[in-house]
Amino acid sequence: MQAAEWARDITDILHGQDEQGALERLARLQPFDRAQVLAHMEPQDRLRLVRSMPVPLAAETLEYLEPETQYRILDHLDEPRAAALLQGMSSDTVVDLLLALHPLQAARLKAWLPPAYRERIDTLMTFPENTAGSLATIEYIAAREGWTVQQALDHVRKVGHDAEVVSYVYVVDARGRLVRVASLRELILADPHAPLTSVGRADVITVRATADREEAARLLTDYDFVALPVVDDQHRLLGIITIDDIVDVIHREATEDIQRLGGSVPLAESYFKTPVPMLFRKRVGWLLTLFIAGAYTSTVLHHFEGLLAQVVGLTFFIPLLIGTGGNTGSQTVATLVRALAVGEVTFRDMLRVLAREVATGALLGAVMAAAALIRAYMLGVGHQLGPVVAVTALFIVVWASMVSAVLPLLLHRLRVDPAVVSGPFISTLVDGTGLFIYFSVARALLNLS
Amino acid sequence: MQAAEWARDITDILHGQDEQGALERLARLQPFDRAQVLAHMEPQDRLRLVRSMPVPLAAETLEYLEPETQYRILDHLDEPRAAALLQGMSSDTVVDLLLALHPLQAARLKAWLPPAYRERIDTLMTFPENTAGSLATIEYIAAREGWTVQQALDHVRKVGHDAEVVSYVYVVDARGRLVRVASLRELILADPHAPLTSVGRADVITVRATADREEAARLLTDYDFVALPVVDDQHRLLGIITIDDIVDVIHREATEDIQRLGGSVPLAESYFKTPVPMLFRKRVGWLLTLFIAGAYTSTVLHHFEGLLAQVVGLTFFIPLLIGTGGNTGSQTVATLVRALAVGEVTFRDMLRVLAREVATGALLGAVMAAAALIRAYMLGVGHQLGPVVAVTALFIVVWASMVSAVLPLLLHRLRVDPAVVSGPFISTLVDGTGLFIYFSVARALLNLS
């Protein structure tokens, strides 16, 4: 909104041949806003401004743009400037950009980086997308074991401009192993002449580069850190994960879980960036699977055709009873999938969860049985079918509670994302089994065969 | 896991009459771990340790405990010590604790606070739970406009121990209005003799205390800040919101959305802390509402009883067809609810969303029509009912797509959480209307009345 207006204003200034004025307006903005403004401008205007911006300012702005926009800009600049910008960007952004590009484009950009930096980027690029290593950035401040507090602070002053986070100084030994961490606050509050090893703490909370990114998120949020060091198997410091990247991870994981729970494969892009054929592809698989799984409802109904012909009234309650089962399952699954995701529940809680859900299901089932009974009388078939639908409602609700208590935990145990046990999945499962319960109860209570 | 083991070890040391040893073990842990260990210990052992811990260490540990545990500890300490601990805790934790207590208990604790501090706490307590103000803490570092960089740094050294975040220094004028912000990194890198007004920036990104907490979350994540100043209507600085509190907000909002999408009222507590009767209460309302809303499926079926008696085969496809409609709706709703929550989609995108969902629905409907046709032939009723179920499948899928594209956006516009349009809600809505579509199509294609 505001960014679009600013973009118009700045474009007007630029077109009025006051490039300096336009640059000054831009420079006053926050980096995020500046990026938004550039994203709203015409490519040639945007390029003209990026060409004239001081390199640190331009690099900082580029950080907030999408990889495709970053590439389009870098691709149109002359090589020394593009190389300077790329080196000015933080390493995790560079990694994301390189991974988003065609390998040939990526190779061209990488050639602009100094060899030592390129090597570290290559290491970070080897970690698969869901690992802690994939989130790491190398712009941290490292200090040597033998230094004093003053030496460390001088070092912060010297390299602090390029660091992502200056809140912590990581102390490494001669082999690059992380031996200590001190916060900037601790350094400032300490005696400048004290040895660095007297400040901060030696038992540093770290995450392995190969660990799941959710593990990193859990550590950062539990301990309220703003950055978490990432180490390799030899405890050598590879990089740090900053809290803002973790916030993105938490957002993304929640989005994926919600889309899975809705019965769709998670979208890789935001909603409007996903074209209709892709929306179709993400949904059709599950929809067809559920259709095929649900097809046996027809078999059950076909099997009980005689019963249905004898007592036509039974048909009236089919959608209502199986729908209630599906709804119950959907409630339970959503609660448990989330509890699993945030680590409140694990597989070892199975029996406890089952007991709780069966108890809750029994209470809910009793209420739904009463509702079903009332509904049968309202339809004028209460005398004949009331007991059948009431007993069925109770059984179906308890059954749905059991299924949806066990399945998410089981899948979590099998390392399948439990969110694939979506509401639609449980509904479909309960539809067929629910019908079977219904007709069995009907047969027993109505003394039919 | 680990915390439970540590708790056992430390309890053993304590019972071996080595209180000092137990305290030293505890002091070496991270605050979060220390709190976990205390939470795993027997109340009398826990109390004994908290009594002997240095106040800053104990206060820092208490921060990570639940309000009820915090109160149980404070309640058992002698008053001067309890008062010192309470004052040592950060103000947002104190506010959360006071709000969780019975008013009389809260009043007793508040009486221990110095009047000026109590007044600020009272201000923070007036902001409702979902506002930015409710997340604010007053442990920030403020500096005066007229100071030099050196004066500001000296001030950080003096008060930094008590601050939540030392990454920023907030510059206020004589009336307490926020006029500038400088990061600690900028201060350290600046000339110590420069005036404070030459460092940092004057256009500070702030949030009003009365704004929604999601607004604060959006600002902190967009701008990648670790703290965001909260101001009143006169732009006076009331407090700051730190990124770790925002991470909790993001977690909580995602949990609530997932539980709502599953068709349940969100739980106030974690899963195992919610007793079965409460689980029942959170679920029964929606379950009954959906039952009542779904009850008209019986009316529709009752209405078409004649048609069903003439063509019994129609019954076979009821669960499958309405289930497919519900599944389609559930997929769309989950995607849109999340897109609304993260701000990717707004009400003004209605027509665009509708067009995309109808297009996707038409593609999906065509596939499902083919699947339904095949299923009808497999059941041996394809010649008679094949065209009916195929046309119905197409219509129902497109219809479900339309309903679930429009409803979440409409609710969002009406300021109702769109997540209440859960999968179960859409399924129930589509069940009845889907049956109506089914029988209308059957009547038309089979030339029945």
Side-chain angles (χ1 to χ4, degrees):
Chain A
M1 260 320 240
Q2 212 179 11
E5 274 169 44
W6 286 338
R8 264 195 306 278
D9 288 356
I10 292 174
T11 305
D12 286 347
I13 300 173
L14 188 66
H15 289 178
Q17 298 311 320
D18 182 10
E19 189 181 281
Q20 207 47 45
L23 282 172
E24 272 163 28
R25 275 290 297 272
L26 260 185
R28 277 205 301 270
L29 296 176
Q30 297 272 356
F32 170 77
D33 292 327
R34 214 182 295 136
Q36 296 296 103
V37 166
L38 288 185
H40 278 90
M41 289 175 76
E42 293 297 318
Q44 70 279 14
D45 292 332
R46 179 164 66 203
L47 216 55
R48 192 172 149 197
L49 288 170
V50 173
R51 275 206 187 95
S52 314
M53 260 187 225
V55 168
L57 198 74
E60 187 188 37
T61 310
L62 248 63
E63 299 254 336
Y64 290 86
L65 290 168
E66 298 286 318
E68 57 257 55
T69 319
Q70 291 170 342
Y71 181 73
R72 236 181 305 154
I73 293 175
L74 291 172
D75 190 39
H76 281 85
L77 297 174
D78 56 291
E79 201 179 299
R81 189 165 182 87
L85 285 188
L86 196 64
Q87 288 176 48
M89 286 160 63
S90 67
S91 57
D92 54 342
T93 315
V94 173
V95 167
D96 288 344
L97 168 61
L98 294 176
L99 288 174
L101 294 180
H102 183 278
L104 286 177
Q105 298 174 321
R108 199 177 132 238
L109 294 200
K110 258 205 283 190
W112 296 341
L113 298 171
Y117 185 58
R118 203 188 313 155
E119 210 171 285
R120 301 190 72 176
I121 291 276
D122 278 332
T123 307
L124 292 181
M125 283 178 74
T126 57
F127 298 111
E129 210 204 320
N130 287 317
T131 59
S134 74
L135 299 170
T137 173
I138 55 176
E139 280 83 14
Y140 53 87
I141 303 183
R144 281 308 188 84
E145 255 183 318
W147 291 1
T148 63
V149 169
Q150 187 60 53
Q151 281 177 299
L153 278 175
D154 288 344
H155 184 64
V156 172
R157 281 204 186 83
K158 211 175 80 191
V159 303
H161 278 296
D162 296 328
E164 276 258 306
V165 169
V166 294
S167 309
Y168 304 110
V169 170
Y170 300 96
V171 186
V172 293
D173 67 12
R175 293 188 185 172
R177 284 180 304 212
L178 180 63
V179 292
R180 201 170 192 86
V181 65
S183 69
L184 187 54
R185 153 204 236 156
E186 285 167 328
L187 287 176
I188 290 174
L189 301 173
D191 169 14
H193 306 295
L196 196 49
T197 44
S198 68
V199 183
R201 54 191 314 141
D203 58 329
V204 189
I205 305 282
T206 59
V207 68
R208 290 257 183 122
T210 49
D212 197 284
R213 63 181 185 183
E214 289 198 57
E215 166 77 5
R218 200 183 56 72
L219 286 171
L220 264 164
T221 47
D222 276 355
Y223 289 98
D224 288 351
F225 292 153
V226 297
L228 179 71
V230 180
V231 296
D232 67 9
D233 292 347
Q234 276 86 50
H235 210 70
R236 277 182 309 216
L237 185 57
L238 292 179
I240 58 169
I241 300 179
T242 55
I243 182 86
D244 51 304
D245 294 326
I246 287 300
V247 168
D248 295 340
V249 167
I250 293 171
H251 260 132
R252 228 169 325 158
E253 300 268 352
T255 302
E256 286 182 16
D257 276 358
I258 286 175
Q259 291 177 353
R260 277 207 194 93
L261 275 170
S264 167
V265 178
L267 307 180
E269 296 276 1
S270 65
Y271 179 70
F272 280 123
K273 280 209 190 138
T274 310
V276 167
M278 181 55 80
L279 279 181
F280 167 75
R281 286 224 296 276
K282 293 283 181 185
R283 292 178 187 172
V284 72
W286 265 112
L287 215 51
L288 261 181
T289 307
L290 293 170
F291 185 92
I292 292 164
Y296 86 116
T297 53
S298 320
T299 314
V300 175
L301 286 162
H302 197 253
H303 179 75
F304 287 100
E305 193 178 350
L307 186 63
L308 282 169
Q310 281 177 68
V311 195
V312 180
L314 282 175
T315 314
F316 303 162
F317 300 94
I318 290 175
L320 199 50
L321 289 171
I322 62 179
T324 298
N327 294 342
T328 309
S330 175
Q331 291 182 327
T332 306
V333 158
T335 307
L336 288 179
V337 162
R338 187 59 185 166
L340 283 165
V342 299
E344 276 169 26
V345 167
T346 68
F347 180 73
R348 295 185 309 164
D349 301 315
M350 174 73 93
L351 285 181
R352 236 173 114 203
V353 169
L354 191 61
R356 285 165 57 87
E357 290 303 330
V358 168
T360 311
L363 291 172
L364 291 171
V367 173
M368 302 322 290
L373 195 67
I374 293 169
R375 181 64 189 148
Y377 275 97
M378 281 169 61
L379 274 179
V381 293
H383 194 66
Q384 186 194 13
L385 296 180
V388 175
V389 293
V391 170
T392 306
L394 174 66
F395 280 5
I396 283 186
V397 169
V398 173
W399 168 240
S401 302
M402 286 170 64
V403 172
S404 48
V406 170
L407 271 185
L409 273 68
L410 209 60
L411 284 185
H412 190 72
R413 175 70 177 179
L414 300 173
R415 298 187 175 276
V416 178
D417 187 329
V420 303
V421 194
S422 52
F425 181 92
I426 285 286
S427 298
T428 304
L429 204 68
V430 170
D431 276 359
T433 46
L435 285 175
F436 195 82
I437 293 173
Y438 184 28
F439 296 130
S440 304
V441 169
R443 220 181 231 167
L445 292 190
L446 300 178
N447 288 316
L448 298 169
S449 64
Chain B
M1 252 334 230
Q2 212 178 14
E5 275 169 43
W6 286 337
R8 264 195 306 278
D9 288 356
I10 292 175
T11 305
D12 286 348
I13 301 174
L14 188 66
H15 288 179
Q17 298 312 321
D18 182 12
E19 188 179 282
Q20 207 47 44
L23 283 171
E24 271 163 28
R25 275 289 299 270
L26 260 185
R28 276 204 301 269
L29 296 176
Q30 296 273 355
F32 171 77
D33 292 327
R34 213 181 296 135
Q36 296 297 103
V37 167
L38 287 185
H40 278 90
M41 290 175 76
E42 293 298 319
Q44 71 277 16
D45 293 332
R46 178 164 67 202
L47 216 54
R48 191 171 150 197
L49 289 169
V50 173
R51 275 206 188 96
S52 314
M53 261 187 222
V55 168
L57 198 76
E60 188 188 37
T61 309
L62 247 64
E63 300 255 336
Y64 290 86
L65 290 168
E66 298 286 319
E68 56 257 52
T69 318
Q70 292 170 341
Y71 181 73
R72 236 180 306 153
I73 293 175
L74 291 173
D75 190 39
H76 282 85
L77 297 174
D78 57 292
E79 202 178 300
R81 189 166 182 87
L85 284 187
L86 195 64
Q87 288 176 48
M89 286 160 65
S90 68
S91 58
D92 54 342
T93 314
V94 173
V95 167
D96 288 344
L97 168 61
L98 293 177
L99 288 173
L101 295 180
H102 184 278
L104 287 176
Q105 298 175 321
R108 197 176 132 239
L109 295 199
K110 258 206 281 189
W112 296 340
L113 298 171
Y117 185 58
R118 203 188 311 157
E119 211 171 284
R120 301 190 72 177
I121 290 275
D122 277 332
T123 308
L124 292 182
M125 284 178 73
T126 58
F127 298 111
E129 209 203 321
N130 287 317
T131 59
S134 74
L135 299 171
T137 173
I138 55 176
E139 280 82 14
Y140 53 87
I141 303 183
R144 281 307 188 82
E145 253 182 319
W147 290 0
T148 63
V149 168
Q150 188 61 53
Q151 282 178 300
L153 278 174
D154 288 343
H155 184 63
V156 172
R157 280 202 187 85
K158 212 175 81 191
V159 303
H161 278 296
D162 296 328
E164 275 258 304
V165 168
V166 294
S167 309
Y168 304 111
V169 170
Y170 299 95
V171 185
V172 293
D173 67 12
R175 294 187 184 172
R177 285 180 305 213
L178 180 62
V179 291
R180 202 171 190 86
V181 65
S183 68
L184 187 54
R185 152 204 235 155
E186 285 166 328
L187 288 175
I188 290 173
L189 300 173
D191 169 14
H193 305 295
L196 196 48
T197 45
S198 68
V199 182
R201 54 192 315 140
D203 57 328
V204 189
I205 304 282
T206 59
V207 67
R208 290 257 183 120
T210 49
D212 197 283
R213 64 181 185 184
E214 289 198 55
E215 166 76 6
R218 200 183 57 72
L219 286 170
L220 264 165
T221 46
D222 276 355
Y223 291 97
D224 287 351
F225 292 154
V226 296
L228 179 71
V230 181
V231 294
D232 67 9
D233 292 347
Q234 276 85 50
H235 211 69
R236 279 182 307 217
L237 185 57
L238 292 179
I240 58 170
I241 300 179
T242 55
I243 183 86
D244 51 304
D245 294 325
I246 287 300
V247 168
D248 295 340
V249 167
I250 293 170
H251 260 132
R252 225 167 329 157
E253 301 267 352
T255 301
E256 286 183 16
D257 276 359
I258 285 174
Q259 291 177 351
R260 279 208 193 91
L261 275 170
S264 166
V265 177
L267 307 179
E269 295 276 3
S270 64
Y271 178 71
F272 280 122
K273 281 210 187 134
T274 310
V276 168
M278 182 55 81
L279 279 181
F280 167 74
R281 287 223 299 276
K282 294 284 181 186
R283 293 179 187 171
V284 71
W286 265 111
L287 214 52
L288 261 182
T289 307
L290 292 169
F291 185 91
I292 293 165
Y296 85 116
T297 53
S298 323
T299 314
V300 175
L301 287 162
H302 197 251
H303 180 75
F304 287 100
E305 192 177 349
L307 185 62
L308 283 169
Q310 282 178 68
V311 195
V312 180
L314 282 175
T315 313
F316 303 162
F317 300 94
I318 291 176
L320 199 51
L321 289 171
I322 62 179
T324 298
N327 293 342
T328 309
S330 176
Q331 291 182 327
T332 306
V333 158
T335 307
L336 289 179
V337 162
R338 187 60 186 167
L340 283 165
V342 299
E344 277 170 25
V345 167
T346 68
F347 180 72
R348 297 183 309 163
D349 301 315
M350 173 74 91
L351 285 181
R352 237 173 112 203
V353 169
L354 191 60
R356 284 165 57 87
E357 291 303 330
V358 169
T360 311
L363 290 172
L364 291 171
V367 173
M368 301 324 288
L373 195 66
I374 292 169
R375 182 64 188 148
Y377 274 97
M378 280 170 60
L379 273 179
V381 293
H383 193 66
Q384 186 194 14
L385 295 180
V388 174
V389 293
V391 170
T392 305
L394 174 64
F395 280 5
I396 282 186
V397 169
V398 173
W399 167 241
S401 302
M402 287 171 65
V403 172
S404 50
V406 170
L407 270 185
L409 273 69
L410 209 60
L411 284 185
H412 189 72
R413 175 69 175 178
L414 299 173
R415 297 185 174 278
V416 178
D417 187 329
V420 303
V421 194
S422 51
F425 181 93
I426 285 286
S427 298
T428 304
L429 204 67
V430 170
D431 277 359
T433 46
L435 285 174
F436 194 83
I437 293 174
Y438 183 29
F439 297 130
S440 304
V441 169
R443 220 180 231 168
L445 293 189
L446 300 177
N447 287 315
L448 298 169
S449 65

